[in-house]
Amino acid sequence: MIGFLTLFSTTFALATPATRRVAIVTGGTRGIGRGISEALAEKKFDLLVTYNSNAEAAEEAAAALREAHGCAVECVGGDISLSATRDAIFERFDAKFKTSHDLGAVVHNAGQYVGITSTNADGLSAAMLGFGDGSMLGEDGATNLETMHYYQKMYGDAYVDLCERGLARMSAESGGGTLIGISSPGCTVQYNANMGYDMPGSGKCVMEYAMRLFALRCAAKNVNCNVVVPGVTSTDAWGKLAETRGTTKEELVAGISGRLSPMGSMTPKQLGDAVAFLCSPEGRLITGVSLPVDGGVHLKS
């Protein structure tokens, strides 16, 4: 009888999730990523957030999250397209959280308009490149694939790497978890082709396809895997893009949302709330989908 009770108590302890979970959110200190971080903190996640290059701004955001939600926040800097940055993410997770937390979620949100919204490890400048319009051909007649390859590393390679390493740190016994990629309209057959989004889309479509196979294989660990497709979300990135078009962030967002979104523009926190639901036990049965959280953009584009 004593042996049975000992076995029962041991089994129960293994099956009981830790009191704290941690979420890894790439690009989690500004824009959509900040909204996701806030929503997950409200759901009692501690956070490991990444940023590209502005360490001071990232730490200010981390401090605000700690103060507002009482959560632990670790920051890791670096271009997410680099394997060294992803190495640093999981080295920090293992050092700070592995023995005390369950890894409850990995959200790959980090992204940029190359040469416009942030620096990049490949030193690429802004360029409007499209498939089939001749813009990728150099004077020598060869096709320049550098920008396309960078986007594929930033979205496709990074997503697969983050999911593989994150999944290896999740288990059904500790409550399972969630893998999420943040995509964009036009990167899946749910939407019409998004003219002008050729290069970022070439990376995000890798993410959207790989997600479905991850979902099939990680279900046995009680891990759900999805891609979330935001609508017109009001962030500072629109301001930097607006500067290249001679307008303001407010005018650009209003114009695009007026054409494409029946419900208008959305805030990063609204998108974050949807992501947090997918990361909750209540959202666990939603898996293997590219989910529009877009105010109806998918109905018009």
Side-chain angles (χ1 to χ4, degrees):
M1 183 67 177
I2 294 175
F4 172 78
L5 290 174
T6 301
L7 176 62
F8 177 82
S9 63
T10 301
T11 303
F12 182 79
L14 289 173
T16 303
T19 56
R20 296 296 295 182
R21 296 174 296 166
V22 62
I24 296 171
V25 184
T26 67
T29 64
R30 66 176 187 173
I32 287 176
R34 174 70 176 271
I36 293 170
S37 295
E38 290 175 351
L40 288 170
E42 286 184 356
K43 295 292 186 180
K44 306 305 180 184
F45 278 88
D46 288 325
L47 300 168
L48 194 164
V49 296
T50 81
Y51 63 94
N52 188 357
S53 57
N54 193 334
E56 183 178 353
E59 188 49 49
E60 288 177 358
L65 286 164
R66 294 183 192 108
E67 182 177 357
H69 303 288
C71 57
V73 183
E74 292 287 326
C75 293
V76 174
D79 191 317
I80 202 65
S81 74
L82 300 175
S83 60
T85 300
R86 303 191 296 272
D87 290 343
I89 291 170
F90 288 99
E91 287 169 3
R92 184 71 63 85
F93 170 81
D94 290 342
K96 296 292 185 179
F97 295 115
K98 187 175 182 178
T99 60
S100 58
H101 289 63
D102 292 326
L103 179 58
V106 177
V107 183
H108 182 32
N109 159 79
Q112 61 169 290
Y113 288 104
V114 167
I116 297 175
T117 60
S118 186
T119 59
N120 61 82
D122 288 5
L124 299 169
S125 301
M128 287 302 296
L129 303 175
F131 299 122
D133 63 4
S135 59
M136 297 177 71
L137 292 176
E139 293 182 1
D140 60 357
T143 303
N144 186 335
L145 301 174
E146 290 182 349
T147 297
M148 185 182 78
H149 286 167
Y150 176 75
Y151 277 114
Q152 289 177 342
K153 288 187 293 182
M154 182 170 57
Y155 295 123
D157 291 10
Y159 174 77
V160 170
D161 191 10
L162 291 162
C163 285
E164 290 285 2
R165 297 204 229 188
L167 183 60
R169 289 165 170 81
M170 296 175 178
S171 67
E173 289 78 12
S174 62
T178 298
L179 305 172
I180 292 180
I182 304 300
S183 189
S184 299
C187 305
T188 171
V189 292
Q190 288 174 280
Y191 297 79
N192 293 329
N194 191 342
M195 301 292 281
Y197 205 67
D198 307 53
M199 297 297 101
S202 71
K204 291 183 178 181
C205 69
V206 175
M207 182 167 65
E208 297 213 28
Y209 178 72
M211 169 272 296
R212 292 182 290 170
L213 298 172
F214 272 110
L216 285 170
R217 294 187 176 117
C218 68
K221 284 190 169 185
N222 193 29
V223 173
N224 63 333
C225 185
N226 297 286
V227 161
V228 171
V229 186
V232 184
T233 312
S234 184
T235 68
D236 290 340
W238 286 109
K240 293 184 178 181
L241 185 61
E243 291 175 6
T244 70
R245 301 184 179 183
T247 185
T248 66
K249 167 188 166 182
E250 291 72 22
E251 290 173 339
L252 184 61
V253 168
I256 294 175
S257 63
R259 293 194 306 273
L260 297 179
S261 179
M263 298 184 76
S265 63
M266 57 197 293
T267 68
K269 180 57 164 51
Q270 287 176 309
L271 190 281
D273 287 336
V275 170
F277 174 76
L278 293 174
C279 296
S280 70
E282 294 80 6
R284 190 62 55 80
L285 289 180
I286 302 172
T287 194
V289 298
S290 293
L291 180 67
V293 183
D294 64 2
V297 171
H298 64 282
L299 300 172
K300 298 184 70 174
S301 63

